[in-house]
Amino acid sequence: MTTETMTLGYARMGKHREIKKALEAFWHGGLETDTLLATVQEIEAHGWKTQLDAGIDRIAVGDQTLYDQGLDWAIRLGLIPDRFQGLNSLDRYFAMARGKDGIPALEMTKWFDTNYHYLVPEIEVAIAPQADFRDFLETVQQSQAVLADRATPVVLSPVTLLSLSRRDSSVDLIKDLAQLLPLYRELLTQLKALGITEVQIHDPILVTSSASSLQAAVTQTYQQLAAVGLPIHLATYFDDLGDVYGWVTQLPVAGISLDFTRGNNLELVKNHGFPEDKTLGAGLVDGRNIWKIRPDHGLATLKELQSIAPDLRVQPSASLQFVPHDAALETQLPAPLRGVLSFAEQKLGEVTFLARTLNGKDTTPQQAQMQQQWRAFEQFNPPNPVVQNALKKLTVQDFQRSLSHSLRLDQQVQLPPLPTTTIGSFPQTPEVRQLRVRYKKGELSPADYQAAIDAHIADCIKVQEEIGLDVLVHGEFERTDMVEYFGQQLDGFAFTKNGWVQSYGSRCVRPPIIYGDVSRPQPMTVREFGVAQSLTQKPVKGMLTAPITILNWSFPRADISRRDQAFQIALALRQEIADLGAAGAQIIQVDEPALREGLPLKVQRWSEYLSWAVDAFRLATAIAQPQIQIHTHMCYCEFGDIIKDIERLDADVISIENSRSNNRTLQEVTAAGYAHQIGNGIYDIHSPVIPTTEQLVQQLQVGMQNLPLKQLWVNPDCGLKTRRWEEVVPALKNMVAATKALREDISV
Ligand code: GLN
Ligand code: ZN
């Protein structure tokens, strides 16, 4: 049987972020609607053409979006919350995405364990779902004109959609599903009428721990949809099917895609077999990382699979929206590194290479070339013996501070009750950003650049003293980004020029690439800390980003475990913490906002992950003398369920988001009997609204009702870099005033 090739979605921002630029120009009134839509169509069509030219047999279509596919499907299904009624078409679309005139947008959250954010559909009891698939069907027709039979529409499964929605949890999911299924049937009927020969239904919820409770809903869905008579390819990705493998593979669908780059799908297929009457979509090319395949490894797996499931397709493991467009654009990178990078375009070539080889074509020259590229890379990037040795020699003591929290507290900096501080960054004004750009372009000498940064630090210290904060920060003016800044100073990291991936809407990120053993050639933050501390009697916090956040917001290596990479980063940070301590830092904050989002999709794998993730934090920080107070910061995470692991970080103080979660986080922490200190984020820095002293007093009182006074700190809920000084100064003044008012109450 001939092995075909397939995709599950394509990179969608444009090689030069054309969609980002068009969207932002449109929002600022500088672009007509037609031009915006034409740009999106052009990028989409370019993606089709690229996949067609690469020779992909089944090309995913309809995955492009103006902002987000969660929003697209919510709108197509008429799931439009009441507050947006009265608005129409694009106006409504962007209101739901970004809010408008005080109408809050849909909530945004991470798409499974990726760094992509989707908009959370809201299922209101009063909404009667109502279909409007015109935009989707039009796109499908356009794609047919280019791709003919290869066009394979991508539809988001109603079960995944409902599972990810905000809905009244007392209503049975099956009940909501019953409202949606007729609409989905209508859609499939229309696709069939257009001459479509297969539809992909994406159901990633099936790889999560919720899957086992969804059997009835999923079975009902595929039974009803299969009845339409359009062959369905059920796509899963991001992890294996685990416990639900048995019944999922029995669903009435024509094919199933499995991810063979994450989890244990290979074992499952080997142990349980795969139904003869179904196509297996073998996701062998990692859709979420940027490394070229090792040809021998890929081919071996493929042959193994073929012996079990002869009707096979080769494909990326997920949509290629999670990788940048084209590694060939990265001409500034050393050739041996570029040789082993694979972005969306290169991945298409890998998919067809694997299929051609399996189909008996002679691909030996290509295989030899890939092997040669990997050899060249290994020569260019040998292991670092110092790092390797350090890792081997780790002992239990390396993860353990010399005194326990309760014993070391007395030795640490003494502060008034309810100490006030901020999370680290202060406004990144256009002037500050200009400074970094000019320095990067070589228009400023290092000395001039540092002098300019130091002037900002000096201003920032002065402002904080005037406001009356107890613990100061230097302001992070030298940092573009909390991960990039460290990556750029560490060995083992590379940076792309065009390696953008969509984060949400028009926002793109350019994740650093970890390619080699990580080490720290020299101190990274000590100079700026020293400048700041020299200007004040108050303690200034040293400010670092923790290992898991650096790891999760980068493209990791594929040849060593994530744990080992986290430990390497931790060792580099450990040296930095030692240096900060030697430079006189009394407090060091190590931000770990990504800890929770790194949790595996299957709950049974949490403890394994948390074990090394928390160890990495401890490895970095345990070097600190007992006198040094270690802080950490986490934003927007609900962590009631991992509170014991948070405790095991052994940070002396943790600052958390609290204002937006209505104190839920605080209550969870309290309920769990958390014994360390907590900076209870008392106002939302994402809003331009300046909180009043009275509001802040109230927030503080909530904190005091929940936790003993000696455990409480006072701070905003995240860094202030996105705010303006005119907002920051009065807000912080009110925060200090509120704190002082309460301190007086206490002392009476
Ligand atoms: N220290 C960082 C800042 O203030 C923390 C950022 C974050 O939590 N995402 O900007
Ligand atoms: Zn934060």
Side-chain angles (χ1 to χ4, degrees):
M1 199 174 283
T2 325
T3 295
E4 289 195 325
T5 52
M6 179 159 89
T7 53
L8 300 175
Y10 199 65
R12 60 192 193 194
M13 288 314 274
K15 282 194 185 187
H16 300 286
R17 287 181 296 158
E18 287 84 348
I19 296 198
K20 174 197 177 66
K21 289 169 195 165
L23 275 171
E24 287 171 4
F26 174 79
W27 292 332
H28 294 133
L31 198 74
E32 298 296 323
T33 309
D34 289 350
T35 325
L36 170 68
L37 299 179
T39 308
V40 177
Q41 254 173 32
E42 218 172 281
I43 300 297
E44 186 176 26
H46 188 268
W48 297 336
K49 182 81 175 34
T50 309
Q51 296 175 79
L52 182 66
D53 290 348
I56 303 293
D57 301 307
R58 299 262 171 191
I59 298 171
V61 302
D63 56 309
Q64 181 60 277
T65 179
L66 250 182
Y67 198 96
D68 165 54
Q69 73 267 17
L71 175 60
D72 293 340
W73 285 105
I75 291 183
R76 286 171 194 149
L77 296 163
L79 303 174
I80 297 158
D82 220 21
R83 62 186 186 278
F84 301 104
Q85 304 295 346
L87 294 170
N88 275 311
S89 63
L90 265 196
D91 204 21
R92 185 180 66 192
Y93 185 92
F94 288 126
M96 287 172 78
R98 315 170 68 219
K100 188 188 163 110
D101 304 336
I103 310 174
L106 298 187
E107 200 185 311
M108 192 166 63
T109 192
K110 294 225 171 191
W111 177 245
F112 295 88
D113 60 348
T114 72
N115 282 328
Y116 175 74
H117 303 70
Y118 72 98
L119 290 159
V120 181
E122 292 172 23
I123 317 286
E124 287 179 350
V125 193
I127 308 182
Q130 209 176 17
D132 184 352
F133 297 120
R134 278 173 302 176
D135 72 307
F136 187 71
L137 293 167
E138 253 169 53
T139 303
V140 169
Q141 274 179 294
Q142 284 161 6
S143 74
Q144 287 177 296
V146 183
L147 305 173
D149 273 357
R150 295 173 193 240
T152 315
V154 172
V155 172
L156 180 62
S157 144
V159 183
T160 291
L161 179 110
L162 285 175
S163 304
L164 299 182
S165 294
R166 185 199 286 185
R167 44 190 291 284
D168 178 352
S169 53
S170 66
V171 177
D172 194 350
L173 188 126
I174 297 269
K175 218 175 138 208
D176 283 339
L177 187 64
Q179 298 223 56
L180 293 185
L181 281 177
L183 311 188
Y184 273 83
R185 287 181 57 135
E186 185 186 322
L187 173 63
L188 264 53
T189 307
Q190 295 193 36
L191 288 172
K192 195 177 165 201
L194 290 179
I196 287 297
T197 54
E198 181 180 279
V199 60
Q200 283 178 15
I201 299 192
H202 285 210
D203 227 345
I205 199 75
L206 293 176
V207 307
T208 67
S209 297
S210 340
S212 44
S213 64
L214 292 169
Q215 183 171 1
V218 174
T219 309
Q220 194 175 328
T221 297
Y222 289 95
Q223 268 165 1
Q224 289 209 23
L225 298 185
V228 174
L230 173 62
I232 296 172
H233 188 98
L234 160 60
T236 70
Y237 34 78
F238 302 154
D239 206 330
D240 61 51
L241 282 177
D243 299 343
V244 303
Y245 183 87
W247 61 261
V248 169
T249 48
Q250 294 310 317
L251 291 167
V253 294
I256 300 178
S257 284
L258 301 177
D259 186 334
F260 290 100
T261 65
R262 282 149 195 261
N264 301 323
N265 272 326
L266 186 58
E267 296 310 306
L268 288 168
V269 173
K270 284 205 276 194
N271 294 341
H272 303 282
F274 191 81
E276 266 170 34
D277 61 342
K278 290 187 179 39
T279 310
L280 172 60
L284 279 166
V285 172
D286 194 344
R288 289 180 52 186
N289 210 344
I290 44 66
W291 301 105
K292 188 164 270 179
I293 51 161
R294 305 267 187 169
D296 25 354
H297 177 79
L299 285 167
T301 313
L302 208 49
K303 287 193 180 130
E304 236 176 327
L305 286 175
Q306 197 186 30
S307 69
I308 304 167
D311 184 0
L312 198 66
R313 283 185 196 160
V314 185
Q315 61 192 52
S317 61
S319 163
L320 295 173
Q321 76 177 89
F322 307 108
V323 292
H325 278 266
D326 185 6
L329 297 176
E330 304 304 326
T331 46
Q332 81 295 347
L333 290 178
L337 173 56
R338 191 159 25 106
V340 293
L341 291 183
S342 172
F343 295 177
E345 244 179 89
Q346 288 72 34
K347 285 180 188 287
L348 298 176
E350 294 176 5
V351 165
T352 53
F353 156 77
L354 289 169
R356 287 213 327 279
T357 317
L358 208 64
N359 289 331
K361 298 275 180 330
D362 179 16
T363 57
T364 30
Q366 260 169 296
Q367 282 185 54
Q369 192 198 8
M370 284 190 226
Q371 265 143 3
Q372 169 51 33
Q373 281 166 325
W374 274 111
R375 272 197 302 274
F377 173 69
E378 275 148 18
Q379 265 164 27
F380 157 81
N381 176 47
N384 178 335
V386 179
V387 177
Q388 300 281 336
N389 272 334
L391 273 183
K392 270 189 217 125
K393 281 205 220 110
L394 293 177
T395 63
V396 180
Q397 278 75 39
D398 294 326
F399 296 86
Q400 188 70 50
R401 292 190 70 178
S402 57
L403 281 181
S404 68
H405 170 74
S406 53
L407 293 177
R408 64 189 184 245
L409 261 189
D410 287 344
Q411 301 186 24
Q412 295 175 359
V413 55
Q414 295 303 308
L415 296 161
L418 300 172
T420 54
T421 190
T422 63
I423 304 301
S425 57
F426 268 81
Q428 292 259 336
T429 56
E431 195 198 336
V432 170
R433 270 176 282 166
Q434 262 294 309
L435 207 56
R436 287 196 309 258
V437 172
R438 282 172 56 208
Y439 176 51
K440 218 172 149 193
K441 284 191 186 153
E443 291 171 18
L444 272 182
S445 72
D448 289 348
Y449 172 70
Q450 285 185 353
I453 290 289
D454 293 355
H456 284 286
I457 294 177
D459 281 347
C460 187
I461 294 289
K462 190 156 159 263
V463 172
Q464 292 174 84
E465 288 204 313
E466 280 164 9
I467 292 170
L469 291 159
D470 301 309
V471 172
L472 313 192
V473 295
H474 76 282
E476 302 182 24
F477 305 107
E478 74 288 6
R479 306 182 189 181
T480 39
D481 173 274
M482 65 187 294
V483 169
E484 188 180 68
Y485 181 74
F486 289 93
Q488 274 166 346
Q489 300 191 66
L490 290 167
D491 283 349
F493 281 79
F495 292 85
T496 61
K497 274 215 170 86
N498 295 289
W500 298 99
V501 287
Q502 187 181 22
S503 169
Y504 64 89
S506 69
R507 284 290 197 100
C508 298
V509 292
R510 212 170 20 170
I513 296 172
I514 308 178
Y515 72 89
D517 284 340
V518 174
S519 62
R520 187 198 72 144
Q522 59 198 28
M524 305 183 280
T525 63
V526 176
R527 199 195 74 82
E528 289 76 12
F529 163 77
V531 170
Q533 187 64 83
S534 73
L535 297 169
T536 177
Q537 296 302 313
K538 300 244 173 104
V540 173
K541 291 193 269 193
M543 193 60 65
L544 304 173
T545 303
I548 302 303
T549 301
I550 296 185
L551 179 68
N552 273 0
W553 294 354
S554 302
F555 286 120
R557 290 165 70 170
D559 58 337
I560 65 171
S561 67
R562 286 170 67 220
R563 169 190 175 274
D564 284 357
Q565 294 172 71
F567 280 17
Q568 291 188 1
I569 299 167
L571 283 172
L573 291 168
R574 186 177 170 94
Q575 295 172 342
E576 186 72 13
I577 288 173
D579 284 348
L580 280 169
Q586 296 169 273
I587 304 181
I588 300 172
Q589 180 174 312
V590 191
D591 294 326
E592 194 62 299
L595 182 74
R596 193 178 202 294
E597 68 184 47
L599 281 172
L601 294 170
K602 289 189 171 40
V603 176
Q604 70 255 38
R605 294 196 191 125
W606 282 18
S607 64
E608 194 257 342
Y609 159 78
L610 285 165
S611 152
W612 60 259
V614 171
D615 277 352
F617 186 92
R618 293 175 65 110
L619 179 58
T621 51
I623 187 83
Q625 301 294 314
Q627 299 82 349
I628 295 180
Q629 190 168 64
I630 295 289
H631 288 216
T632 189
H633 165 68
M634 291 178 192
C635 24
Y636 310 115
C637 54
E638 299 150 16
F639 43 62
D641 46 359
I642 58 166
I643 192 76
K644 287 290 154 214
D645 305 277
I646 302 286
E647 210 159 39
R648 205 171 72 80
L649 291 172
D650 199 24
D652 298 302
V653 183
I654 179 173
S655 55
I656 55 172
E657 183 274 332
N658 189 43
S659 58
R660 290 214 292 193
S661 69
N662 279 327
N663 296 308
R664 193 176 55 222
T665 317
L666 185 64
Q667 281 150 11
E668 287 170 351
V669 166
T670 313
Y674 187 76
H676 298 201
Q677 298 183 16
I678 297 176
N680 177 28
I682 59 167
Y683 77 87
D684 176 11
I685 64 92
H686 294 83
S687 157
V689 178
I690 295 162
T692 65
T693 308
E694 294 69 36
Q695 285 166 338
L696 293 170
V697 165
Q698 263 177 24
Q699 274 294 327
L700 277 171
Q701 282 166 335
V702 175
M704 290 162 66
Q705 281 151 18
N706 279 280
L707 282 169
L709 192 64
K710 62 178 185 354
Q711 259 181 282
L712 274 176
W713 282 64
V714 180
N715 48 259
D717 66 357
C718 198
L720 301 166
K721 72 175 179 192
T722 55
R723 295 264 66 90
R724 295 178 301 137
W725 281 105
E726 303 85 84
E727 296 155 350
V728 162
V729 173
L732 291 177
K733 278 190 174 154
N734 291 351
M735 185 179 92
V736 170
T739 308
K740 289 200 169 140
L742 283 173
R743 277 182 197 155
E744 270 166 33
D745 281 1
I746 304 158
S747 57
V748 182

